[in-house]
Amino acid sequence: HRESESHKEAIKITEERAKERLEKVIVEQEKVTMIETQRVFATAYHLAKLDRPYTDHPHVIDLQIRNGLNMGKVLQSSTTCKDILDHIAEIMRARLVEAIKA
């Protein structure tokens, strides 16, 4: 039976399904990570719009976690908040320059 074509085909199908399952799990994890990152960026941007200090960032993240949001495990320090806002400012500045040139 092990040498039959149908058995070999069944093994091949089983292996492909296992590989597809792994790919789906990885894609789903990437989606979760992206959502967490978006939430952290939105929080940092909100603090900047309100002229709040970077040191408020960890406290607001903690509040969101207590309210049931999944904020991930990284990007939660005040230093990270500064880096996020620098990144956002750089992109906004580049878009402004392009708009002015146009």
Side-chain angles (χ1 to χ4, degrees):
H1 172 72
R2 289 183 190 198
E3 302 303 319
S4 70
E5 288 300 316
S6 59
H7 181 77
K8 291 177 183 178
E9 188 65 28
I11 290 175
K12 184 178 175 182
I13 290 170
T14 304
E15 290 172 351
E16 287 177 11
R17 283 187 181 165
K19 192 180 348 176
E20 287 175 6
R21 252 186 263 130
L22 179 61
E23 289 172 1
K24 288 178 183 177
V25 168
I26 291 170
V27 167
E28 188 60 35
Q29 183 58 42
E30 287 297 316
K31 286 180 187 177
V32 169
T33 302
M34 187 62 70
I35 290 169
E36 294 168 354
T37 303
Q38 289 171 346
R39 288 177 179 159
V40 173
F41 269 60
T43 302
Y45 185 76
H46 179 75
L47 291 174
K49 291 287 282 185
L50 296 176
D51 289 326
R52 299 298 306 159
Y54 299 145
T55 54
D56 283 0
H57 191 248
H59 303 293
V60 176
I61 295 286
D62 288 342
L63 176 64
Q64 290 174 324
I65 290 170
R66 277 185 264 140
N67 285 329
L69 280 179
N70 184 1
M71 301 298 287
K73 304 266 188 250
V74 295
L75 305 175
Q76 297 184 3
S77 70
S78 54
T79 304
T80 304
C81 181
K82 178 211 169 288
D83 294 340
I84 290 169
L85 293 174
D86 286 346
H87 177 71
I88 291 171
E90 183 178 317
I91 291 171
M92 291 175 78
R93 193 175 301 115
R95 287 183 182 170
L96 178 63
V97 168
E98 288 301 316
I100 290 171
K101 284 181 182 179

